[in-house]
């Protein structure tokens, strides 16, 4: 039994451990971006066949073996229940907001936070980048964070202030946050491709923030004639992030902007950017709104396992906190 476990563990570590793959094929797969067992497991046989120049049947066998190594198979509802119960969560710093999210921001799930400018989306991403480093007993995952910044909104000063308020060493906290600025949509997609390799090498990465996910796509694909291309590219990127969360057991948070809808006469006149593509891919969708002073309102818009509801929390100098009565 121990030998079997060791074999599976070995498979997960490297594609060279999959049977029947020659060194030449391995090199071709790596050059094509399939450098891990996880990447092979979510690929199509046609893509692998073309990338490595191998028969379709060989590609199918490689993918099957990769999926077996990662336990990607038909499962019973009971097995799914046990898996769901093992999902871990990162505290937001506010008990009210944690309660709305069912205990915090989940691993194995992509959470979308959308709202107007100043509603607290970036503040939450900063807070989670700090909180993921806490111990499990304190609401963290004792892990590292990755912050993909598309709008230049990341501030190390906020990380320092949040760290000090939690009695953490700011320098240690900042050294555990990998930061990168995405310069355009192609770069943004390439970063996530590279990130997969990073996570394989450093399995202490437990949180990824993309702030914001739509800004480059929105700026680069202007006009109705470019809408289909934008949505197709954005859809691929979102599924790329969603797979990352599920396969590597990490929490992925994407932020999104809102735009006004002049045809709305009743209810909220704003809607999240990205159209139906954004409505369907994220596992959890949370809307944030400004309130009086430092108060913010968070509302569950879509989550299959969470009840609808909203809570009020505060953004203070120390970070996200509950509102003081």
């Amino acid at each position: 039994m121990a030998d079997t476990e060791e074999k599976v563990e070995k498979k997960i570590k490297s594609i060279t451990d999959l049977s029947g793959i020659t060194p030449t094929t391995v090199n071709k797969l790596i050059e094509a971006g399939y450098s891990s067992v996880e990447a092979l497991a979510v690929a199509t046989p046609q893509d692998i066949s073309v990338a490595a120049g191998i028969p379709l049947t060989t590609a199918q066998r490689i993918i099957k073996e990769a999926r077996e190594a990662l336990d990607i198979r038909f499962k019973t509802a009971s097995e799914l229940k046990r898996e769901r119960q093992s999902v871990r969560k990162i505290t937001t710093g506010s008990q009210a907001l944690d309660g709305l999210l069912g205990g915090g921001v989940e691993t194995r799930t992509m959470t979308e936070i959308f709202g107007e400018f100043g509603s607290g989306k970036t503040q939450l991403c900063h807070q989670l980048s700090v909180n993921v480093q806490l111990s499990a007993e304190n609401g963290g995952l004792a892990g590292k964070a990755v912050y993909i910044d598309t709008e230049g909104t990341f501030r190390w000063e906020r990380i320092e202030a949040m760290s000090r308020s939690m009695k953490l060493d700011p320098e240690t906290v900042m050294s555990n946050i990998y930061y990168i600025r995405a310069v355009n949509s192609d770069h943004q997609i390439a970063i996530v491709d590279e990130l997969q390799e990073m996570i394989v090498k450093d399995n202490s990465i437990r949180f990824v923030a993309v702030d914001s996910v739509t800004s480059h796509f929105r700026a680069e694909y202007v006009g109705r004639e470019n809408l289909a291309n934008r949505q197709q590219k954005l859809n691929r990127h979102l599924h790329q992030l969603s797979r990352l969360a599920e396969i590597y057991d990490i929490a992925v948070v994407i932020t999104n902007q809102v735009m006004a809808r002049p045809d709305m006469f009743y209810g909220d006149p704003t809607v999240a950017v990205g159209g139906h593509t954004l409505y369907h891919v994220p596992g959890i969708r949370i809307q944030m709104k400004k309130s009086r002073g430092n108060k913010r309102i968070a509302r569950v818009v879509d989550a299959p396992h969470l009840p609808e509801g909203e809570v009020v929390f505060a953004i203070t100098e120390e970070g996200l906190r509950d509102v003081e009565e």
Side-chain angles (χ1 to χ4, degrees):
M1 181 68 181
D3 290 342
T4 305
E5 289 178 0
E6 187 178 334
K7 189 178 178 185
V8 170
E9 181 64 28
K10 205 175 178 188
K11 284 179 183 177
I12 293 173
K13 284 183 178 177
S14 172
I15 66 173
T16 57
D17 297 314
L18 295 169
S19 62
I21 302 186
T22 65
T24 304
T25 301
V26 168
N27 289 335
K28 285 181 179 178
L29 287 170
I30 291 172
E31 285 172 11
Y34 301 100
S35 58
S36 66
V37 178
E38 291 82 2
L40 290 174
V42 297
T44 65
Q46 290 80 5
D47 287 345
I48 297 299
S49 176
V50 172
I54 57 178
L56 193 62
T57 52
T58 305
Q60 289 170 333
R61 179 186 53 73
I62 290 170
I63 291 170
K64 183 174 182 290
E65 192 176 350
R67 288 175 179 172
E68 286 174 354
L70 296 176
D71 199 27
I72 299 173
R73 57 182 174 82
F74 280 107
K75 299 173 185 178
T76 65
S78 297
E79 287 176 294
L80 285 177
K81 178 186 174 183
R82 285 193 291 272
E83 282 188 9
R84 282 292 308 165
Q85 288 173 335
S86 69
V87 164
R88 296 177 290 175
K89 297 175 182 180
I90 308 168
T91 179
T92 62
S94 160
Q95 289 185 2
L97 188 52
D98 285 351
L100 183 75
L101 295 168
V105 174
E106 296 183 358
T107 60
R108 300 189 197 174
T109 304
M110 181 166 68
T111 302
E112 179 198 0
I113 311 293
F114 70 92
E116 61 188 320
F117 174 79
S119 58
K121 306 183 298 293
T122 296
Q123 295 290 330
L124 176 58
C125 288
H126 280 67
Q127 189 71 68
L128 291 168
S129 296
V130 175
N131 290 2
V132 70
Q133 302 181 43
L134 297 170
S135 64
E137 295 76 26
N138 292 316
L141 302 177
K144 297 177 182 176
V146 171
Y147 203 109
I148 302 170
D149 183 2
T150 70
E151 298 181 292
T153 52
F154 182 83
R155 294 291 180 268
W156 61 265
E157 295 92 340
R158 290 299 289 145
I159 299 296
E160 273 200 348
M162 290 172 176
S163 303
R164 287 201 180 97
S165 73
M166 302 170 79
K167 305 294 189 287
L168 298 173
D169 175 45
E171 288 302 320
T172 301
V173 170
M174 286 194 285
S175 68
N176 288 327
I177 299 173
Y178 297 114
Y179 169 87
I180 188 166
R181 176 74 188 269
V183 296
N184 57 38
S185 61
D186 287 328
H187 185 218
Q188 190 173 323
I189 291 168
I191 286 168
V192 179
D193 283 331
E194 184 182 342
L195 180 55
Q196 185 163 284
E197 296 179 30
M198 272 181 67
I199 294 168
V200 171
K201 292 175 183 173
D202 186 353
N203 60 15
S204 62
I205 295 171
R206 284 286 162 259
F207 172 67
V208 174
V210 185
D211 184 25
S212 83
V213 76
T214 52
S215 60
H216 284 315
F217 293 90
R218 193 181 183 188
E220 293 165 27
Y221 294 87
V222 180
R224 191 172 292 275
E225 68 276 10
N226 293 312
L227 185 60
N229 284 339
R230 183 189 82 174
Q231 294 304 90
Q232 189 176 24
K233 197 171 178 181
L234 179 58
N235 187 46
R236 177 182 164 240
H237 182 48
L238 293 171
H239 279 89
Q240 181 190 30
L241 288 162
S242 186
R243 284 197 301 266
L244 207 66
E246 190 173 349
I247 291 172
Y248 297 102
D249 188 26
I250 61 177
V252 172
V253 168
I254 59 173
T255 70
N256 192 13
Q257 304 154 338
V258 293
M259 60 182 181
R261 284 190 58 184
D263 59 329
M264 285 282 287
F265 296 103
Y266 302 100
D268 190 348
T270 60
V271 63
V273 172
H276 291 287
T277 298
L278 260 297
Y279 297 173
H280 299 304
V281 182
I284 299 171
R285 302 187 72 225
I286 304 294
Q287 182 177 19
M288 284 191 176
K289 294 181 180 179
K290 294 178 185 177
S291 189
R292 292 182 180 178
N294 67 351
K295 294 178 183 176
R296 301 292 186 273
I297 300 167
R299 180 171 69 92
V300 172
V301 173
D302 185 30
H305 59 294
L306 296 175
E308 289 187 10
E310 65 179 40
V311 297
V312 179
F313 65 96
I315 297 177
T316 71
E317 288 294 321
E318 296 180 338
L320 270 68
R321 296 292 185 267
D322 285 319
V323 174
E324 294 182 4
E325 299 295 337

